[in-house]
Amino acid sequence: MSEGAVNKEERRKFQAIKGTRDLLPPETALWNRGEQTAREVFATFGFGEIRLPIFEPTDLFARAVGGETDIVSKEMYTFEDYDTTELLELIESRRAALTWTDSPILGPPGPLGSGTQAIFSPYTTLVGNVLRLGSDAFQKGKIPRTPENERVLADLKYRLEVFVSSLNSGTLNEKRQFVNSFKGLVAQLKIGESLSLRPEATASVCRAYVEHGMQQLPQPVKLYYMGPMFRRERPQKGRYRQFYQIGAEVLGGSDAPAIDAEVIEMVMTFFDRLELQGVQLDINSIGHSADNCRRGYVEKLKVALENVKDKLGPDSQRRIETNPLRVLDSKLESEQGIIATLPRIADHLCEACATHYSAVKHQLEMRGVIYRENWRLVRGLDYYMRTTFEITAQGLGSQNAVCGGGRYDGLVELLGGPPTKGIGFAIGEDRLILSLQESGKAPAQQGRDVYIAWMGERAHATAIRAAKDLRKAGFSVELPPVEQKFGKALGQADKLGAKYALILGDNEVSEGLWTLKTLADGSQAKYTEPDLLEHLRKQKALSS
Ligand code: ATP
Ligand code: MG
């Protein structure tokens, strides 16, 4: 398309959506190294990879993560999914019924008598269409056969009858109110299934465990995953709307404290292998949800918080009602002194949870894993119980958590499966990479090994063959697509960070002796084809 044919509108520049980003070379090499290391380390602990869908029914997350959490209540990317071709007519009539307005030329509201029929009967037709098409789709199971949809359709039917039979009486205002209430009802008709982009993956792993009958496999089942997650958060350093997690879950079997400790040992081994700096492991136990354990503690915490309510900020004041445990999470400077005086969960664990917690600590010590106890570590998701942990690393500012995890024994059952023990963690890969970069662990730009500077038809043919052989031997080769003067070619090789330039001109080809220039020191030597390959192999072995 010529420049003139593109108008301003079409020339609009597209940009990545706020909170999402492109990951580019050479940074992606570091991402790959992180992922590769995770695969290697996790495999040595007997974990296998699970690949999961990126979207799931909204209900799965609402149920697992918890309807009251920030994640579910305001951060999920949710959309209605339906088969547009089959349901087009219903979608159209729903839209028409929702956007309909009566004619504004009618003058002031007042008694209308028989005039109303003419004004409002088009609307009754629209609602009638929604009712007819909706009921038919419901019968055939083309829209969700939920009790809500059943109720909406029954309600529509009843109210439409009332409306039609009283069309000739009442005021314009009364009719308008009726229309609005119809619209409210029509809007409630769910044509598609509500889906959400996953904000985390533990719920999906548990769903998959049940769906594939993995409880029949030798227990526990050990799975890891990696991939993008989505949360509508305020983007900042280390916090994105599309971010990446590497996580693992152990499902089934027992809740032996050694399992908790081994999972933590595995993450720490992974971080160690990557030489992540300033790694700090915090652990805690948040007990289980019984009166003689967490629930009892939360009651005491609530009472204590009520007593100091005036001294707390608005966020914490609100949380006293909604989720008192989260007050302990507060980073507000002014609240720290108050929080330090609050009752601590360790003093209120039931005997079984207390025993489990001390055994986990003992198991960590046996594995040489260094931890810090942090009684304020509560984790944001509803499903956690007993062991919780968080790992921070250096160079990340206030977003310094690189890994969060914990035990969630009730989750699989909550999702309709059999009672199943579970524990896992999720590593924030974006922050992991950021921390590695900050501490200078990023690999240098990956240059080419060999740049082939060729001139002439015969040399081109030889160059293509040489490139093929070198690549086969594992060297990274840049073969320019068109002939260049040697001077220009060498400049280009330099820019690409190539280690060597292989010079192929008419002389080299006819002599069968190829010139290899080492770009770092400018030295040059001639080799036969087999000698050259041998020489490069030796050099590579020396440098790695
Ligand atoms: P935070 O307290 O930092 O918000 P979180 O408790 O919400 O973390 P989890 O749901 O436990 O985090 O997820 C595990 C890890 O995933 C976190 O420790 C963090 O490294 C990473 N993570 C969570 N949300 C984001 C995000 N929006 N952007 C980048 N990484 C994230
Ligand atoms: Mg968060």
Side-chain angles (χ1 to χ4, degrees), residues 446 449-450 467-477 499 533 537 540:
Q446 276 279 307
D449 293 313
V450 183
K468 188 176 284 214
D469 291 344
L470 285 166
R471 285 172 177 150
K472 199 170 161 196
F475 294 100
S476 141
V477 177
K499 290 198 197 76
L533 209 59
R537 274 217 184 91
K540 190 170 197 166

Side-chain angles (χ1 to χ4, degrees), residues 107-111 171-173 176:
T171 64
L172 183 58
N173 262 353
R176 283 180 170 166

Side-chain angles (χ1 to χ4, degrees), residues 231 233 238-240 243 245 379 401-404 426 428 431:
R231 297 182 195 174
E233 301 196 76
R239 196 177 288 290
Y240 310 96
F243 61 101
Q245 284 187 339
R379 314 277 315 121
V402 282
C403 175
R431 295 185 196 173

Side-chain angles (χ1 to χ4, degrees), residues 21 71 75 199-200 229-234 236 238-245 326 329 331 379-381 383-384 389-391 396 398-405 425-432:
R21 52 202 187 122
I71 294 181
E75 294 173 359
E200 57 103 58
M229 307 293 155
F230 306 85
R231 297 182 195 174
R232 194 185 289 102
E233 301 196 76
R234 195 169 67 78
Q236 50 195 295
R239 196 177 288 290
Y240 310 96
R241 292 183 168 183
Q242 174 174 340
F243 61 101
Y244 296 79
Q245 284 187 339
R326 288 305 299 272
D329 246 1
K331 308 265 182 327
R379 314 277 315 121
L381 313 183
Y383 51 62
Y384 286 114
F389 58 98
E390 188 166 275
I391 301 169
L396 296 172
S398 53
Q399 261 62 249
N400 64 351
V402 282
C403 175
F425 63 80
I427 295 164
E429 197 177 357
D430 306 72
R431 295 185 196 173
L432 172 66

Side-chain angles (χ1 to χ4, degrees), residues 412-429:
V412 171
E413 203 175 355
L414 186 69
L415 299 177
T420 306
K421 306 292 180 198
I423 181 167
F425 63 80
I427 295 164
E429 197 177 357

